[in-house]
Amino acid sequence: KFNYYNNVSLTQGTISDKISIPALARESTPQPVVLVTRSQLANPIGPGEEAELTITFRNTSKDKLVTPSVTVTPSESLVVLNDASTFLLPDIEGGQSAAITVRIKALKGLNSSSQSLSTELKYSYDNGATMAQVTASDKVIIPTLAKESVPQPVVLVTRSAMEKPLDPGQSADITLTFQNAGTTKLLSPTASVTPSDGLTILSDTSTFLLPEIEPGQSAAISVRVQAAKDLTSTSQSLSTELKYSYDNGETITQATATDRLNLSANLPVKIDPSIPNLVIRSFTYGGESVAAGSKFPLDFTFENTGVSKVENVVVTVDGGECFTMDGSTNTYFYKSLAAGGSKDQQVPMRVVPASKTGAQSISISFKYEYRDGEKRTQATSDIKLSVPVYQPDRFQINAPTVPEFGTVGEEIELTLAYVNKGKDDISNLEATVVGEDVDTPARTQYLGNVTAGTNGNVGFAISPNKAGEINVVLKISYENADQQVQTKEFPIKLTAEEYVPPVDDGEGAMDEDAGPHIPVLPIVLAVGAVVIVLAVVIIVRKKKAAQLLNSTSGSWDDWDDTDSSGEE
């Protein structure tokens, strides 16, 4: 700062400048690298199991880690059992390590075999200029055994058979069966039944509490229903909703299974006094149900409910997709039918082999004429009948191959090969060993259901428990498509002998001491064969010599001497 004259007045001015001083800067130190490892586990951790791990933090640099602290975070299916998830570590010199002990537990709902522990290490270090705070994150993998998930059980709902369709205003008891077709038990099952518009439930309640249903087992309820008097449809139904819980492998899960069961009904007959009506009062089809591909007689009785006679009645039977006529016509003619009169008609029919199991419909139509005063009028009436059909049982079982003899206490394996040649499944297949003369690991085997078109084997293991003649029966039972229990028996007969241990008389030891055993019999046979061959050769030579002698006896005198000496 200074003063100067600028030719006008005294003025103050300032001059500034900077002097540079050379210096050596300190090099920056990179963040230390920390290596995170865990201790070994003897076995993977299963659902609900606990384990103790040691996690080690190794300082791979030369700089010290100051006031380090680590926070441990488990993955979704693991829990840290320590009081805190943050741990304080001592200062870690370069090339040194520090460790913490963590106790963990796998949840019961463990759904993955790959779990982990995430670590976040916070520390300070001298970076060459100041103490810097940094964070090092890492993750260690924890081997676990995930519990397999169990699928929701399939529930099959069926109803009892009905003798005939429901008439308007008629009531009936229907049995509903719920079958557990899954692999796990149904817990606390509750069934709700809802009828269609034309039906009413007469039972005290429409919700039923069922017992627990094991895999392959069933539970049933009985529902009383009544058809409305003013039915508008022949197709009625009962809708079911089954709520239950089951163990899916992780936890108890709630599930719902819904289904609908069809019921057939007859429409109300509306009688006009001036118009005669033809109705079917009763019909039969030869039994409770008919097998696909079989013949059956359809017998029905129809009646004129009007007050006037009908004429030129034409009855037509239509079997639809499931039935056909068995060598007969499907149309029948009646000249007349008086008021209140009835007629019986039999129609030979056959079930189509490919027909489905269940109630199938047959339509019967009537065309007729009647006199309304002086006028002749035509009228029609259509009626449907329901016939239950089932696929025939073609479950074939081949008899086993049985040995003639056995030994007491020794196991004999018997196999029955089976094949389901039918078009419906076989259910509740069981195999039983009947007889007290044998022991077996399992006298009864439950083999479940056999799908249509599949085959397999039933194996039995039996051991005779006494000597003599053994009589056993292998019994196979199952339910066919018509829900009828079928039983097939295979009687088994064999002779069992007592077990005799080998006797050691000491001859083997004597032969070993005496030296190698020489087979005498083969040597004797060989020597005998050689003697026989030599005898044959001598006889042949003698015969040749005799022939030669006879041919030259006149000229050779000395030959006789030689021949004589040879014979001597």
Side-chain angles (χ1 to χ4, degrees), residues 70-132:
V70 62
T71 300
V72 179
T73 303
S75 55
E76 181 179 359
S77 298
L78 297 179
V79 175
V80 174
L81 300 180
N82 297 66
D83 295 337
S85 59
T86 300
F87 304 83
L88 296 178
L89 301 174
D91 293 350
I92 306 175
E93 298 290 342
Q96 300 299 314
S97 302
I100 61 173
T101 299
V102 180
R103 187 162 189 81
I104 60 174
K105 180 179 180 180
L107 299 178
K108 292 184 178 180
L110 186 64
N111 56 8
S112 175
S113 59
S114 178
Q115 301 296 325
S116 63
L117 286 178
S118 298
T119 62
E120 185 180 50
L121 181 67
K122 295 181 179 180
Y123 59 90
S124 301
Y125 79 101
D126 186 358
N127 66 357
T130 182
M131 294 298 290

Short mmCIF file of all heavy atoms in Angstrom, two decimals, residues 70-132:
data_model
loop_
_atom_site.label_atom_id
_atom_site.label_comp_id
_atom_site.label_asym_id
_atom_site.label_seq_id
_atom_site.Cartn_x
_atom_site.Cartn_y
_atom_site.Cartn_z
N VAL A 70 -19.07 -54.86 12.23
CA VAL A 70 -19.71 -55.61 11.14
C VAL A 70 -21.18 -55.86 11.49
O VAL A 70 -21.52 -56.13 12.64
CB VAL A 70 -18.98 -56.95 10.90
CG1 VAL A 70 -19.03 -57.85 12.11
CG2 VAL A 70 -19.58 -57.67 9.69
N THR A 71 -22.03 -55.72 10.46
CA THR A 71 -23.46 -55.99 10.58
C THR A 71 -23.80 -57.19 9.71
O THR A 71 -23.45 -57.22 8.53
CB THR A 71 -24.30 -54.77 10.15
OG1 THR A 71 -23.96 -53.66 10.97
CG2 THR A 71 -25.79 -55.07 10.29
N VAL A 72 -24.49 -58.20 10.29
CA VAL A 72 -24.84 -59.44 9.59
C VAL A 72 -26.34 -59.43 9.28
O VAL A 72 -27.16 -59.20 10.18
CB VAL A 72 -24.48 -60.67 10.44
CG1 VAL A 72 -24.87 -61.95 9.72
CG2 VAL A 72 -22.99 -60.68 10.74
N THR A 73 -26.68 -59.67 8.01
CA THR A 73 -28.09 -59.71 7.58
C THR A 73 -28.35 -61.06 6.93
O THR A 73 -27.72 -61.38 5.91
CB THR A 73 -28.40 -58.59 6.60
OG1 THR A 73 -28.09 -57.33 7.20
CG2 THR A 73 -29.89 -58.61 6.21
N PRO A 74 -29.27 -61.90 7.46
CA PRO A 74 -29.54 -63.21 6.85
C PRO A 74 -30.49 -63.08 5.67
O PRO A 74 -31.22 -62.09 5.54
CB PRO A 74 -30.17 -64.00 8.00
CG PRO A 74 -30.87 -62.95 8.81
CD PRO A 74 -30.03 -61.70 8.71
N SER A 75 -30.52 -64.11 4.82
CA SER A 75 -31.49 -64.15 3.72
C SER A 75 -32.87 -64.50 4.28
O SER A 75 -33.05 -64.70 5.49
CB SER A 75 -31.06 -65.17 2.67
OG SER A 75 -30.86 -66.43 3.25
N GLU A 76 -33.87 -64.60 3.40
CA GLU A 76 -35.27 -64.65 3.81
C GLU A 76 -35.60 -65.84 4.70
O GLU A 76 -36.40 -65.73 5.62
CB GLU A 76 -36.16 -64.68 2.56
CG GLU A 76 -37.64 -64.70 2.85
CD GLU A 76 -38.48 -64.70 1.59
OE1 GLU A 76 -37.88 -64.69 0.50
OE2 GLU A 76 -39.72 -64.74 1.70
N SER A 77 -35.01 -67.00 4.46
CA SER A 77 -35.38 -68.22 5.19
C SER A 77 -34.46 -68.52 6.36
O SER A 77 -34.53 -69.62 6.92
CB SER A 77 -35.40 -69.41 4.22
OG SER A 77 -36.36 -69.21 3.22
N LEU A 78 -33.57 -67.59 6.74
CA LEU A 78 -32.67 -67.77 7.87
C LEU A 78 -32.94 -66.71 8.93
O LEU A 78 -33.42 -65.61 8.63
CB LEU A 78 -31.20 -67.68 7.42
CG LEU A 78 -30.71 -68.75 6.44
CD1 LEU A 78 -29.25 -68.50 6.09
CD2 LEU A 78 -30.87 -70.14 7.01
N VAL A 79 -32.62 -67.06 10.19
CA VAL A 79 -32.78 -66.13 11.32
C VAL A 79 -31.49 -66.16 12.14
O VAL A 79 -30.93 -67.23 12.38
CB VAL A 79 -33.98 -66.54 12.20
CG1 VAL A 79 -34.07 -65.65 13.43
CG2 VAL A 79 -35.27 -66.48 11.42
N VAL A 80 -31.00 -64.96 12.54
CA VAL A 80 -29.83 -64.85 13.42
C VAL A 80 -30.32 -64.93 14.85
O VAL A 80 -31.19 -64.15 15.28
CB VAL A 80 -29.07 -63.53 13.16
CG1 VAL A 80 -27.94 -63.38 14.18
CG2 VAL A 80 -28.51 -63.52 11.75
N LEU A 81 -29.77 -65.87 15.62
CA LEU A 81 -30.20 -66.10 17.00
C LEU A 81 -29.40 -65.31 18.02
O LEU A 81 -29.73 -65.33 19.21
CB LEU A 81 -30.13 -67.60 17.34
CG LEU A 81 -30.99 -68.52 16.45
CD1 LEU A 81 -30.82 -69.97 16.91
CD2 LEU A 81 -32.45 -68.12 16.51
N ASN A 82 -28.33 -64.61 17.61
CA ASN A 82 -27.54 -63.78 18.54
C ASN A 82 -28.40 -62.62 19.07
O ASN A 82 -29.41 -62.24 18.47
CB ASN A 82 -26.31 -63.24 17.84
CG ASN A 82 -25.38 -64.34 17.39
OD1 ASN A 82 -25.74 -65.11 16.52
ND2 ASN A 82 -24.19 -64.44 17.97
N ASP A 83 -27.96 -62.05 20.20
CA ASP A 83 -28.70 -60.93 20.79
C ASP A 83 -28.69 -59.72 19.88
O ASP A 83 -29.61 -58.89 19.91
CB ASP A 83 -28.11 -60.57 22.15
CG ASP A 83 -28.29 -61.70 23.16
OD1 ASP A 83 -29.22 -62.52 22.95
OD2 ASP A 83 -27.51 -61.78 24.11
N ALA A 84 -27.64 -59.56 19.10
CA ALA A 84 -27.55 -58.41 18.19
C ALA A 84 -26.97 -58.89 16.87
O ALA A 84 -26.28 -59.92 16.80
CB ALA A 84 -26.67 -57.31 18.78
N SER A 85 -27.27 -58.15 15.81
CA SER A 85 -26.74 -58.50 14.49
C SER A 85 -25.54 -57.64 14.12
O SER A 85 -25.01 -57.78 13.02
CB SER A 85 -27.85 -58.34 13.44
OG SER A 85 -28.33 -57.02 13.42
N THR A 86 -25.10 -56.73 15.01
CA THR A 86 -23.91 -55.89 14.78
C THR A 86 -22.85 -56.25 15.80
O THR A 86 -23.14 -56.34 17.01
CB THR A 86 -24.28 -54.40 14.88
OG1 THR A 86 -25.28 -54.10 13.90
CG2 THR A 86 -23.05 -53.54 14.60
N PHE A 87 -21.61 -56.46 15.34
CA PHE A 87 -20.51 -56.92 16.20
C PHE A 87 -19.35 -55.93 16.08
O PHE A 87 -19.02 -55.46 14.97
CB PHE A 87 -20.05 -58.32 15.78
CG PHE A 87 -21.14 -59.34 15.77
CD1 PHE A 87 -21.99 -59.47 14.66
CD2 PHE A 87 -21.36 -60.18 16.85
CE1 PHE A 87 -23.00 -60.41 14.63
CE2 PHE A 87 -22.37 -61.13 16.82
CZ PHE A 87 -23.19 -61.24 15.72
N LEU A 88 -18.70 -55.61 17.23
CA LEU A 88 -17.50 -54.77 17.25
C LEU A 88 -16.28 -55.65 17.20
O LEU A 88 -16.17 -56.65 17.93
CB LEU A 88 -17.48 -53.90 18.51
CG LEU A 88 -18.62 -52.87 18.64
CD1 LEU A 88 -18.51 -52.11 19.97
CD2 LEU A 88 -18.59 -51.89 17.48
N LEU A 89 -15.32 -55.28 16.36
CA LEU A 89 -14.09 -56.04 16.20
C LEU A 89 -12.90 -55.21 16.70
O LEU A 89 -12.94 -53.96 16.66
CB LEU A 89 -13.86 -56.41 14.74
CG LEU A 89 -14.95 -57.24 14.07
CD1 LEU A 89 -14.64 -57.39 12.59
CD2 LEU A 89 -15.05 -58.59 14.72
N PRO A 90 -11.84 -55.87 17.13
CA PRO A 90 -10.62 -55.12 17.47
C PRO A 90 -9.95 -54.62 16.18
O PRO A 90 -10.26 -55.07 15.08
CB PRO A 90 -9.77 -56.17 18.19
CG PRO A 90 -10.25 -57.47 17.64
CD PRO A 90 -11.71 -57.31 17.39
N ASP A 91 -9.04 -53.65 16.35
CA ASP A 91 -8.29 -53.15 15.19
C ASP A 91 -7.57 -54.33 14.53
O ASP A 91 -7.01 -55.20 15.20
CB ASP A 91 -7.27 -52.09 15.61
CG ASP A 91 -7.96 -50.82 16.11
OD1 ASP A 91 -9.20 -50.74 15.95
OD2 ASP A 91 -7.28 -49.95 16.67
N ILE A 92 -7.60 -54.34 13.20
CA ILE A 92 -7.00 -55.44 12.44
C ILE A 92 -5.77 -54.93 11.72
O ILE A 92 -5.87 -54.09 10.81
CB ILE A 92 -8.00 -56.03 11.43
CG1 ILE A 92 -9.31 -56.42 12.13
CG2 ILE A 92 -7.41 -57.23 10.73
CD1 ILE A 92 -10.39 -56.89 11.18
N GLU A 93 -4.60 -55.39 12.13
CA GLU A 93 -3.37 -55.00 11.48
C GLU A 93 -3.31 -55.58 10.07
O GLU A 93 -4.03 -56.52 9.74
CB GLU A 93 -2.17 -55.49 12.31
CG GLU A 93 -2.08 -54.90 13.71
CD GLU A 93 -1.70 -53.42 13.69
OE1 GLU A 93 -1.19 -52.95 12.64
OE2 GLU A 93 -1.90 -52.73 14.71
N GLY A 94 -2.40 -55.03 9.26
CA GLY A 94 -2.23 -55.55 7.91
C GLY A 94 -1.80 -57.00 7.92
O GLY A 94 -0.89 -57.40 8.65
N GLY A 95 -2.50 -57.81 7.11
CA GLY A 95 -2.19 -59.23 7.03
C GLY A 95 -2.78 -60.06 8.16
O GLY A 95 -2.60 -61.27 8.18
N GLN A 96 -3.53 -59.43 9.10
CA GLN A 96 -4.12 -60.14 10.23
C GLN A 96 -5.62 -60.32 10.02
O GLN A 96 -6.20 -59.81 9.07
CB GLN A 96 -3.84 -59.39 11.54
CG GLN A 96 -2.36 -59.22 11.84
CD GLN A 96 -1.65 -60.56 11.99
OE1 GLN A 96 -2.15 -61.45 12.65
NE2 GLN A 96 -0.49 -60.69 11.34
N SER A 97 -6.25 -61.09 10.95
CA SER A 97 -7.67 -61.40 10.83
C SER A 97 -8.37 -61.21 12.17
O SER A 97 -7.73 -61.21 13.23
CB SER A 97 -7.88 -62.85 10.36
OG SER A 97 -7.26 -63.08 9.12
N ALA A 98 -9.69 -61.07 12.08
CA ALA A 98 -10.57 -61.03 13.25
C ALA A 98 -11.83 -61.81 12.90
O ALA A 98 -12.22 -61.86 11.73
CB ALA A 98 -10.90 -59.60 13.64
N ALA A 99 -12.49 -62.42 13.89
CA ALA A 99 -13.63 -63.30 13.62
C ALA A 99 -14.77 -63.02 14.58
O ALA A 99 -14.56 -62.50 15.69
CB ALA A 99 -13.20 -64.76 13.71
N ILE A 100 -15.96 -63.37 14.15
CA ILE A 100 -17.16 -63.31 14.98
C ILE A 100 -17.86 -64.65 14.90
O ILE A 100 -17.68 -65.40 13.94
CB ILE A 100 -18.12 -62.18 14.55
CG1 ILE A 100 -18.59 -62.42 13.10
CG2 ILE A 100 -17.47 -60.82 14.68
CD1 ILE A 100 -19.67 -61.45 12.65
N THR A 101 -18.68 -64.97 15.91
CA THR A 101 -19.46 -66.22 15.92
C THR A 101 -20.94 -65.86 15.80
O THR A 101 -21.46 -65.09 16.60
CB THR A 101 -19.20 -67.00 17.22
OG1 THR A 101 -17.81 -67.34 17.29
CG2 THR A 101 -20.02 -68.29 17.22
N VAL A 102 -21.56 -66.46 14.79
CA VAL A 102 -22.98 -66.18 14.52
C VAL A 102 -23.74 -67.50 14.61
O VAL A 102 -23.34 -68.49 14.01
CB VAL A 102 -23.17 -65.56 13.12
CG1 VAL A 102 -24.66 -65.28 12.88
CG2 VAL A 102 -22.36 -64.29 12.99
N ARG A 103 -24.85 -67.46 15.35
CA ARG A 103 -25.71 -68.64 15.44
C ARG A 103 -26.97 -68.37 14.62
O ARG A 103 -27.65 -67.36 14.81
CB ARG A 103 -26.09 -68.94 16.90
CG ARG A 103 -26.84 -70.26 17.05
CD ARG A 103 -26.84 -70.77 18.47
NE ARG A 103 -27.38 -72.11 18.56
CZ ARG A 103 -26.72 -73.22 18.29
NH1 ARG A 103 -25.46 -73.13 17.90
NH2 ARG A 103 -27.29 -74.41 18.39
N ILE A 104 -27.26 -69.30 13.68
CA ILE A 104 -28.39 -69.11 12.77
C ILE A 104 -29.34 -70.29 12.86
O ILE A 104 -28.97 -71.37 13.34
CB ILE A 104 -27.91 -68.94 11.31
CG1 ILE A 104 -27.14 -70.19 10.86
CG2 ILE A 104 -27.08 -67.69 11.14
CD1 ILE A 104 -26.75 -70.16 9.40
N LYS A 105 -30.58 -70.08 12.37
CA LYS A 105 -31.61 -71.11 12.35
C LYS A 105 -32.37 -71.02 11.04
O LYS A 105 -32.71 -69.92 10.58
CB LYS A 105 -32.57 -70.96 13.52
CG LYS A 105 -33.67 -72.01 13.55
CD LYS A 105 -34.58 -71.81 14.75
CE LYS A 105 -35.69 -72.88 14.79
NZ LYS A 105 -36.57 -72.69 15.96
N ALA A 106 -32.62 -72.19 10.40
CA ALA A 106 -33.41 -72.23 9.16
C ALA A 106 -34.89 -72.35 9.51
O ALA A 106 -35.26 -73.13 10.38
CB ALA A 106 -32.97 -73.39 8.28
N LEU A 107 -35.73 -71.57 8.85
CA LEU A 107 -37.17 -71.61 9.09
C LEU A 107 -37.76 -72.92 8.56
O LEU A 107 -37.21 -73.55 7.64
CB LEU A 107 -37.87 -70.43 8.42
CG LEU A 107 -37.43 -69.03 8.91
CD1 LEU A 107 -38.16 -67.95 8.13
CD2 LEU A 107 -37.69 -68.88 10.40
N LYS A 108 -38.92 -73.32 9.12
CA LYS A 108 -39.57 -74.56 8.67
C LYS A 108 -40.06 -74.44 7.23
O LYS A 108 -40.19 -75.43 6.54
CB LYS A 108 -40.72 -74.91 9.59
CG LYS A 108 -40.26 -75.33 10.99
CD LYS A 108 -41.44 -75.77 11.84
CE LYS A 108 -40.97 -76.24 13.21
NZ LYS A 108 -42.11 -76.68 14.06
N GLY A 109 -40.36 -73.22 6.80
CA GLY A 109 -40.82 -73.02 5.43
C GLY A 109 -39.68 -72.80 4.46
O GLY A 109 -39.84 -72.07 3.46
N LEU A 110 -38.54 -73.42 4.71
CA LEU A 110 -37.37 -73.25 3.84
C LEU A 110 -37.70 -73.72 2.43
O LEU A 110 -38.06 -74.86 2.21
CB LEU A 110 -36.21 -74.08 4.41
CG LEU A 110 -34.84 -73.92 3.73
CD1 LEU A 110 -34.32 -72.52 3.90
CD2 LEU A 110 -33.86 -74.94 4.31
N ASN A 111 -37.61 -72.79 1.46
CA ASN A 111 -38.05 -73.11 0.10
C ASN A 111 -36.94 -73.03 -0.92
O ASN A 111 -37.18 -73.10 -2.11
CB ASN A 111 -39.19 -72.17 -0.31
CG ASN A 111 -38.79 -70.70 -0.18
OD1 ASN A 111 -37.62 -70.38 0.07
ND2 ASN A 111 -39.76 -69.82 -0.33
N SER A 112 -35.70 -72.84 -0.48
CA SER A 112 -34.59 -72.76 -1.42
C SER A 112 -33.36 -73.38 -0.77
O SER A 112 -33.13 -73.24 0.44
CB SER A 112 -34.30 -71.31 -1.80
OG SER A 112 -33.16 -71.22 -2.61
N SER A 113 -32.57 -74.08 -1.59
CA SER A 113 -31.36 -74.73 -1.06
C SER A 113 -30.17 -73.78 -1.05
O SER A 113 -29.08 -74.18 -0.67
CB SER A 113 -31.04 -75.96 -1.91
OG SER A 113 -30.85 -75.58 -3.26
N SER A 114 -30.34 -72.54 -1.48
CA SER A 114 -29.25 -71.56 -1.51
C SER A 114 -29.64 -70.38 -0.63
O SER A 114 -30.49 -69.57 -0.99
CB SER A 114 -28.98 -71.09 -2.94
OG SER A 114 -27.96 -70.12 -2.96
N GLN A 115 -29.04 -70.31 0.57
CA GLN A 115 -29.25 -69.20 1.49
C GLN A 115 -27.92 -68.51 1.75
O GLN A 115 -26.85 -69.02 1.39
CB GLN A 115 -29.86 -69.70 2.81
CG GLN A 115 -31.21 -70.41 2.63
CD GLN A 115 -32.28 -69.49 2.12
OE1 GLN A 115 -32.31 -68.30 2.45
NE2 GLN A 115 -33.15 -70.03 1.27
N SER A 116 -27.95 -67.33 2.36
CA SER A 116 -26.71 -66.56 2.52
C SER A 116 -26.80 -65.66 3.73
O SER A 116 -27.88 -65.39 4.27
CB SER A 116 -26.43 -65.72 1.26
OG SER A 116 -27.46 -64.77 1.07
N LEU A 117 -25.61 -65.20 4.16
CA LEU A 117 -25.47 -64.17 5.19
C LEU A 117 -24.71 -63.00 4.56
O LEU A 117 -23.59 -63.17 4.06
CB LEU A 117 -24.70 -64.69 6.40
CG LEU A 117 -25.42 -65.65 7.34
CD1 LEU A 117 -24.49 -66.09 8.45
CD2 LEU A 117 -26.65 -64.99 7.94
N SER A 118 -25.31 -61.82 4.57
CA SER A 118 -24.67 -60.62 4.02
C SER A 118 -23.96 -59.88 5.16
O SER A 118 -24.52 -59.71 6.24
CB SER A 118 -25.70 -59.70 3.37
OG SER A 118 -26.33 -60.33 2.28
N THR A 119 -22.72 -59.49 4.92
CA THR A 119 -21.92 -58.77 5.92
C THR A 119 -21.58 -57.38 5.41
O THR A 119 -21.28 -57.18 4.23
CB THR A 119 -20.62 -59.53 6.23
OG1 THR A 119 -19.83 -59.62 5.04
CG2 THR A 119 -20.92 -60.93 6.74
N GLU A 120 -21.64 -56.40 6.33
CA GLU A 120 -21.27 -55.01 6.01
C GLU A 120 -20.25 -54.55 7.06
O GLU A 120 -20.60 -54.35 8.22
CB GLU A 120 -22.51 -54.12 6.01
CG GLU A 120 -22.19 -52.69 5.57
CD GLU A 120 -23.44 -51.82 5.58
OE1 GLU A 120 -24.14 -51.81 6.61
OE2 GLU A 120 -23.69 -51.15 4.58
N LEU A 121 -18.98 -54.44 6.64
CA LEU A 121 -17.88 -54.08 7.55
C LEU A 121 -17.56 -52.59 7.40
O LEU A 121 -17.24 -52.13 6.30
CB LEU A 121 -16.64 -54.93 7.23
CG LEU A 121 -15.42 -54.69 8.11
CD1 LEU A 121 -15.70 -55.16 9.54
CD2 LEU A 121 -14.21 -55.42 7.55
N LYS A 122 -17.69 -51.86 8.51
CA LYS A 122 -17.36 -50.43 8.53
C LYS A 122 -16.07 -50.25 9.35
O LYS A 122 -15.94 -50.82 10.44
CB LYS A 122 -18.50 -49.61 9.15
CG LYS A 122 -19.79 -49.64 8.34
CD LYS A 122 -20.86 -48.79 8.99
CE LYS A 122 -22.15 -48.79 8.17
NZ LYS A 122 -23.21 -47.96 8.79
N TYR A 123 -15.14 -49.43 8.82
CA TYR A 123 -13.86 -49.20 9.52
C TYR A 123 -13.24 -47.91 9.02
O TYR A 123 -13.69 -47.30 8.03
CB TYR A 123 -12.91 -50.37 9.31
CG TYR A 123 -12.58 -50.65 7.86
CD1 TYR A 123 -11.49 -50.02 7.24
CD2 TYR A 123 -13.36 -51.53 7.12
CE1 TYR A 123 -11.21 -50.27 5.90
CE2 TYR A 123 -13.08 -51.78 5.78
CZ TYR A 123 -12.00 -51.14 5.19
OH TYR A 123 -11.71 -51.38 3.87
N SER A 124 -12.18 -47.50 9.70
CA SER A 124 -11.40 -46.31 9.30
C SER A 124 -9.97 -46.75 8.99
O SER A 124 -9.48 -47.77 9.52
CB SER A 124 -11.39 -45.26 10.42
OG SER A 124 -12.71 -44.85 10.74
N TYR A 125 -9.32 -45.97 8.12
CA TYR A 125 -7.92 -46.26 7.80
C TYR A 125 -7.25 -44.95 7.35
O TYR A 125 -7.92 -44.00 6.94
CB TYR A 125 -7.81 -47.33 6.71
CG TYR A 125 -8.06 -46.83 5.33
CD1 TYR A 125 -7.00 -46.56 4.46
CD2 TYR A 125 -9.36 -46.60 4.88
CE1 TYR A 125 -7.25 -46.09 3.19
CE2 TYR A 125 -9.61 -46.14 3.61
CZ TYR A 125 -8.55 -45.88 2.75
OH TYR A 125 -8.78 -45.40 1.48
N ASP A 126 -5.94 -44.93 7.46
CA ASP A 126 -5.15 -43.76 7.07
C ASP A 126 -4.91 -43.84 5.57
O ASP A 126 -4.18 -44.70 5.08
CB ASP A 126 -3.81 -43.75 7.82
CG ASP A 126 -3.02 -42.47 7.56
OD1 ASP A 126 -3.50 -41.63 6.77
OD2 ASP A 126 -1.93 -42.33 8.15
N ASN A 127 -5.56 -42.88 4.82
CA ASN A 127 -5.43 -42.92 3.37
C ASN A 127 -4.27 -42.07 2.85
O ASN A 127 -4.18 -41.80 1.66
CB ASN A 127 -6.74 -42.47 2.72
CG ASN A 127 -7.06 -41.01 3.01
OD1 ASN A 127 -6.32 -40.34 3.74
ND2 ASN A 127 -8.16 -40.52 2.45
N GLY A 128 -3.41 -41.63 3.77
CA GLY A 128 -2.24 -40.82 3.39
C GLY A 128 -2.45 -39.35 3.67
O GLY A 128 -1.47 -38.60 3.77
N ALA A 129 -3.70 -38.91 3.78
CA ALA A 129 -3.98 -37.51 4.06
C ALA A 129 -4.75 -37.35 5.35
O ALA A 129 -4.53 -36.41 6.11
CB ALA A 129 -4.75 -36.88 2.90
N THR A 130 -5.69 -38.31 5.60
CA THR A 130 -6.53 -38.22 6.80
C THR A 130 -7.05 -39.61 7.11
O THR A 130 -6.84 -40.57 6.35
CB THR A 130 -7.70 -37.25 6.57
OG1 THR A 130 -8.46 -37.17 7.78
CG2 THR A 130 -8.61 -37.74 5.45
N MET A 131 -7.78 -39.76 8.21
CA MET A 131 -8.43 -41.01 8.57
C MET A 131 -9.77 -41.07 7.84
O MET A 131 -10.68 -40.29 8.12
CB MET A 131 -8.62 -41.12 10.08
CG MET A 131 -7.33 -41.22 10.86
SD MET A 131 -6.38 -42.71 10.43
CE MET A 131 -7.41 -43.95 11.13
N ALA A 132 -9.87 -42.00 6.89
CA ALA A 132 -11.08 -42.11 6.06
C ALA A 132 -11.95 -43.25 6.59
O ALA A 132 -11.44 -44.30 6.99
CB ALA A 132 -10.71 -42.36 4.61
#
